[in-house]
Amino acid sequence: MTEKLDWIVGQARSGRMSRREFLGRSTAMGLSAALAGALYSKAALAQEPKKGGLIRAGLAGGESTNSLDPALAASEVPFMTNVTWGETLVREGATGGVEMRIAEEVSSSPDAKVWTFKIRQGVEFHDGKTVTAEDVVATLKRHTDEAAQSGALGVVKDIAEMKAEGDMVTLTLNTANADLPYLMADYHLVIQPGGGVDNPAAGIGAGPYKVEVFEPGVRIGFTKHANYFDSGTGHADQVEFLIINDNTARTAALQSGQVHMINRVDPKISELLKGAPGVSVKSVPGRGHYVFIMHVDKAPFDNNDLRMALKLAIKRQEMVDKILGGLGSVGNDFPINAAYPLFDDTIPQREYDAAAAAEAYKKSGHDGSPIVLRAAPGAFPGAVDAANLFAASANAAGIPLTVQLEPDDGYWSNVWNVQPFCASYWGGRPVQDQMYSTAYLSTADWNDTKFKNATFDELLLAARGELDQAKRKDEYSKMAHILRDEGGLILPMFNDFVDGVRDEVQGWTEDPNGELMNGRAMVKCWLA
């Protein structure tokens, strides 16, 4: 027992074993939960970050059309790029709260309509200028402009007034919102000099690394920001992203040591990869979900009977088993699961029902012409296989669903949010209000199903300011029912985030908010 215990303590000390795995293994050996927890804490504290070197990541989710404008980030590589060179007011923490970043204090009025953020002193942009409250206000105002095409438009739309005074920023809302700090953690809201109005794609922020090379769809290189305010972040001298959208090539790059970490490990090979020398697979459940989205304002998807037929014609558990390799859970056609506070677990689970799907399809009056679902390998891991499984189960119900393969390059600019039916994914958000505000509020710029429902909007606004948690949960439940039964979202599965990491990477921690420690593995980890 002693030898095995020494080994797992060593794994935890080197950052190669998560807390969850350590506790599971040590309690299975007979240790009490309390003793196991104390041992892990001691081992974790023994990890001393090593400075220097180059951390290289092989990433899926990048295209030649990507930009350094934070407002336009719509896939994984732009997101990870933003959090490497940029900082937001606050950010979502791995354990569920918010962490202070550009802001060092947050407070609100009792009715949650007026929020005040105290701006941290001495924070420098990459160009040497000091971050001010005016920069913060200018940044937020830019994202309220529809011309900016910001993915955070739905988040900031409800701010009625923004004011900068000294080191304080005051935001007054049209409606109360107890979750506003979580909304300010949105990764599009990177604070830029002058708000980024003059040159939003300059890539100048206050984050741990400066952009040195930007070859969209190929390579992005960063060097350390010498005057970064947080000494506990940014251990490597350099960070480099290699865009490798092909699953096989990305996995090979990890195994050969060309890169230190990769995102989106194909679940079908995750068990095989676990056996590769010098490599570990990290899997963490969260709020991410793989979806098929229909534009409810375009034929034939403007017919709710047709939408319902398609929702009933998908085998959800089959997708979890075959696409995710069991690393996930079934979805229910609304973007909330048990990882969210105030989740209603009494909502009936939608199941595959060929007879009911056929009946709804017949009721829709559709003319029998092919219904085209567009998918690309980069939409999500296994997206094309998932689309083909969907087509097979729909065809079995008499629905003429066909799959059109699209190229990865340009998918997020030419297909997603453009074509009326396609495969997509969402990383989830920390709270229900942000998820719904970003993608399902009628005025949201990223309303990728074009869903507009006045009752849904009214419930969302009411829930924002509701301080009675029971009432708030009921309002969210009503919203879920509306979206599930009337919306254009087909959500068959919630995915675990599955990453591959070489053993020389240390400092790894689990973060249920997104891939590769919510995009921050490159700035939080170090090399042995």
Side-chain angles (χ1 to χ4, degrees):
M1 174 178 169
T2 302
E3 184 177 336
K4 289 183 179 179
L5 183 59
D6 288 344
W7 182 82
I8 65 170
V9 168
Q11 292 294 100
R13 183 178 292 118
S14 65
R16 292 194 288 268
M17 184 175 290
S18 69
R19 178 182 176 84
R20 182 173 59 180
E21 184 180 358
F22 181 89
L23 295 181
R25 288 184 178 230
S26 55
T27 53
M29 293 167 59
L31 272 68
S32 69
L35 178 57
L39 278 175
Y40 181 84
S41 298
K42 184 176 180 180
L45 287 172
Q47 296 183 44
E48 295 183 4
K50 293 180 173 58
K51 304 295 184 179
L54 164 67
I55 290 181
R56 183 178 286 118
L59 301 178
E63 308 166 281
S64 62
T65 54
N66 290 157
S67 167
L68 286 174
D69 181 355
L72 304 179
S75 55
E76 281 305 301
V77 170
F79 156 64
M80 293 188 194
T81 301
N82 283 0
V83 301
T84 303
W85 68 263
E87 283 286 356
T88 47
L89 276 172
V90 297
R91 71 178 175 213
E92 64 274 29
T95 57
V98 293
E99 300 174 356
M100 298 297 106
R101 304 309 297 164
I102 296 296
E104 62 179 0
E105 292 178 15
V106 180
S107 59
S108 76
S109 60
D111 64 358
K113 287 190 71 172
V114 179
W115 287 84
T116 303
F117 296 80
K118 183 178 181 181
I119 305 307
R120 190 183 303 272
Q121 296 299 291
V123 177
E124 274 192 24
F125 287 120
H126 300 152
D127 61 3
K129 296 178 181 177
T130 300
V131 178
T132 67
E134 287 76 15
D135 293 315
V136 173
V137 168
T139 295
L140 296 179
K141 283 185 175 179
R142 184 173 82 85
H143 289 269
T144 64
D145 184 356
E146 292 189 3
Q149 298 180 304
S150 175
L153 179 63
V155 168
V156 297
K157 196 77 171 179
D158 196 51
I159 302 176
E161 183 184 8
M162 309 177 193
K163 186 166 55 177
E165 292 180 315
D167 61 355
M168 306 298 287
V169 170
T170 302
L171 305 179
T172 303
L173 311 182
N174 288 311
T175 56
N177 193 335
D179 288 335
L180 185 77
Y182 288 99
L183 305 190
M184 292 297 101
D186 189 291
Y187 61 87
H188 299 92
L189 300 178
V190 170
I191 307 305
Q192 296 177 271
V197 174
D198 294 334
N199 186 3
I204 297 175
Y209 290 90
K210 300 187 290 185
V211 179
E212 294 290 347
V213 177
F214 184 64
E215 300 173 11
V218 181
R219 181 171 69 104
I220 306 172
F222 307 86
T223 57
K224 191 170 181 178
H225 176 26
N227 295 327
Y228 183 54
F229 71 92
D230 183 355
S231 60
T233 302
H235 304 297
D237 291 331
Q238 295 175 283
V239 169
E240 185 177 45
F241 298 169
L242 299 182
I243 315 308
I244 313 175
N245 287 313
D246 181 79
N247 286 339
T248 302
R250 194 167 62 256
T251 304
L254 178 69
Q255 291 179 286
S256 69
Q258 180 186 4
V259 299
H260 297 105
M261 59 186 74
I262 62 172
N263 66 337
R264 295 193 177 184
V265 170
D266 188 335
K268 290 181 291 187
I269 67 162
S270 62
E271 287 301 318
L272 291 174
L273 191 58
K274 286 179 182 178
V279 172
S280 60
V281 175
K282 311 289 188 180
S283 176
V284 58
R287 307 175 187 92
H289 44 282
Y290 298 160
V291 297
F292 301 107
I293 51 175
M294 303 174 282
H295 289 183
V296 301
D297 61 348
K298 296 183 180 70
F301 310 106
D302 55 353
N303 183 313
N304 195 42
D305 290 317
L306 180 74
R307 299 198 298 271
M308 184 56 67
L310 289 165
K311 292 174 184 178
L312 291 166
I314 191 166
K315 295 182 178 180
R316 299 160 195 272
Q317 189 60 53
E318 179 183 52
M319 290 203 177
V320 172
D321 295 339
K322 293 182 177 180
I323 303 302
L324 299 182
L327 298 174
S329 58
V330 295
N332 205 14
D333 299 334
F334 64 99
I336 307 300
N337 64 1
Y340 284 89
L342 307 180
F343 170 68
D344 182 1
D345 60 5
T346 68
I347 297 174
Q349 175 61 51
R350 180 164 285 145
E351 304 284 357
Y352 176 71
D353 189 330
E359 182 179 350
Y361 178 69
K362 181 178 179 181
K363 186 179 177 182
S364 75
H366 186 254
D367 61 9
S369 59
I371 299 171
V372 179
L373 169 60
R374 299 169 190 269
F380 58 80
V384 176
D385 289 340
N388 286 324
L389 285 175
F390 187 9
S393 60
N395 293 166
I399 301 172
L401 181 61
T402 63
V403 177
Q404 179 168 318
L405 181 64
E406 298 283 349
D408 280 337
D409 196 44
Y411 188 81
W412 299 107
S413 52
N414 301 326
V415 178
W416 175 76
N417 223 3
V418 176
Q419 296 296 335
F421 195 21
C422 74
S424 184
Y425 79 95
W426 282 89
R429 295 295 187 271
V431 291
Q432 294 197 42
D433 180 76
Q434 187 179 9
M435 188 67 245
Y436 285 133
S437 296
T438 301
Y440 301 99
L441 185 68
S442 294
T443 55
D445 197 50
W446 275 15
N447 185 337
D448 57 7
T449 58
K450 315 306 177 187
F451 174 71
K452 296 183 179 180
N453 184 291
T455 302
F456 180 94
D457 291 352
E458 290 168 6
L459 285 165
L460 178 57
L461 296 180
R464 281 181 181 172
E466 181 55 69
L467 302 181
D468 184 313
Q469 296 302 292
K471 291 181 179 178
R472 199 178 195 204
K473 181 176 180 178
D474 181 64
E475 288 163 338
Y476 283 140
S477 177
K478 290 175 181 176
M479 290 163 56
H481 277 93
I482 292 171
L483 185 59
R484 173 182 181 271
D485 296 336
E486 301 177 30
L489 177 68
I490 300 174
L491 197 164
M493 51 190 160
F494 286 89
N495 61 288
D496 289 2
F497 296 112
V498 187
D499 305 311
V501 184
R502 293 197 60 82
D503 287 349
E504 55 263 40
V505 174
Q506 298 191 10
W508 186 276
T509 57
E510 290 186 350
D511 192 324
N513 293 301
E515 301 170 357
L516 291 174
M517 294 171 55
N518 200 24
R520 296 180 173 89
M522 291 72 79
V523 303
K524 287 187 172 183
C525 292
W526 59 92
L527 299 178

